[in-house]
Amino acid sequence: TVRKVIVRAYLGFCEVLKRYDFLRNEAWTVREFEAAARAALPFVPEREVEELTWLFEEARYRAHELPHDLGYRAALCLLDLDKPDEALVALREVATRFPRHAVGEWSGYSRGWIHLTLGRFHEAKAAFRAQLDEYPAGSLVAPAKYLFAATLFSERRFAEAEREYGAFADAHASSGLADGALLWAGWAALLDGRPRDALAYLRVINSPTDDLA
């Protein structure tokens, strides 16, 4: 449930604080703990701590049904608190608990993005591929394909990256990312030792009606 996701995210935050030797006094209320944590650890972003505390209060002490997106928001709070691994755990749980729901799609996409920014390319590819398999007609298909190609490029698998970028440009010609995909495809071709192919991509960008051949 959403409640379990939020509570686990909050407990993950508490575990992070323990690493800084900051332990919760059992007599504190949730808000007293928040204030004490912010006072003791001023480098912790105030807004994210406040929101995560509010989400925990909603999940723990309110009886009303919680929107699906609150679990996703809790995960993003952990990410903004510079706790990507804890955020990844929460996002995986959201994606698992709410399959074929928009928040599940966003959670899968966010996991891929986090892994990519951390340089975990194998994990990023797996996350984007899983998202595309789960949501073949979802709202994030185009950006997921684009970042999947970016992951291949980051791995220096230039021939594969070129193919993915080229396929993206063909499938999403009207997308604002199409020219960027062609540019990256050309760059990948150049790094793969094929300057003529690289120039062909640039000609298509400059003259959209031209044929790649």
Side-chain angles (χ1 to χ4, degrees), residues 9-209:
Y10 182 79
L11 293 178
F13 169 63
C14 293
E15 287 298 318
V16 169
L17 295 183
K18 286 182 182 179
R19 297 174 196 170
Y20 295 101
D21 296 324
F22 185 82
L23 302 178
R24 176 171 181 166
N25 186 324
E26 294 299 326
W28 284 340
T29 65
V30 174
R31 288 294 171 178
E32 287 172 337
F33 174 62
E34 175 197 347
R38 284 161 48 186
L41 304 169
F43 56 86
V44 175
E46 181 175 335
R47 183 184 66 82
E48 286 74 15
V49 173
E50 184 176 352
E51 181 172 14
L52 191 54
T53 300
W54 175 80
L55 289 168
F56 176 73
E57 287 179 320
E58 288 292 301
R60 189 71 179 268
Y61 305 115
R62 306 290 188 271
H64 60 78
E65 184 176 354
L66 299 177
H68 290 82
D69 70 312
L70 292 192
Y72 181 71
R73 286 172 57 184
L76 292 187
C77 284
L78 289 171
L79 182 60
D80 288 340
L81 289 167
D82 197 25
K83 305 304 170 190
D85 290 320
E86 289 79 2
L88 285 166
V89 171
L91 288 168
R92 182 174 63 245
E93 188 163 2
V94 172
T96 301
R97 289 183 178 274
F98 307 111
R100 304 201 178 280
H101 189 284
V103 72
E105 183 184 14
W106 272 99
S107 295
Y109 177 81
S110 297
R111 290 184 66 233
W113 170 252
I114 293 171
H115 281 307
L116 178 57
T117 58
L118 292 174
R120 300 171 182 173
F121 304 130
H122 179 75
E123 292 85 349
K125 285 188 302 182
F128 288 130
R129 178 53 60 198
Q131 181 212 334
L132 291 168
D133 290 343
E134 185 75 16
Y135 303 93
S139 63
L140 296 173
V141 168
K145 286 182 178 179
Y146 193 90
L147 290 182
F148 181 79
T151 304
L152 291 170
F153 189 95
S154 298
E155 289 183 312
R156 303 184 65 82
R157 296 167 65 173
F158 299 125
E160 294 176 64
E162 179 196 351
R163 286 196 296 271
E164 290 294 330
Y165 278 126
F168 177 93
D170 289 339
H172 304 279
S174 61
S175 166
L177 296 172
D179 281 355
L182 289 171
L183 184 62
W184 280 107
W187 185 236
L190 181 64
L191 292 174
D192 198 45
R194 291 176 284 111
R196 290 188 177 182
D197 291 343
L199 288 173
Y201 286 109
L202 294 179
R203 285 199 298 269
V204 172
I205 296 174
N206 292 328
S207 304
T209 58

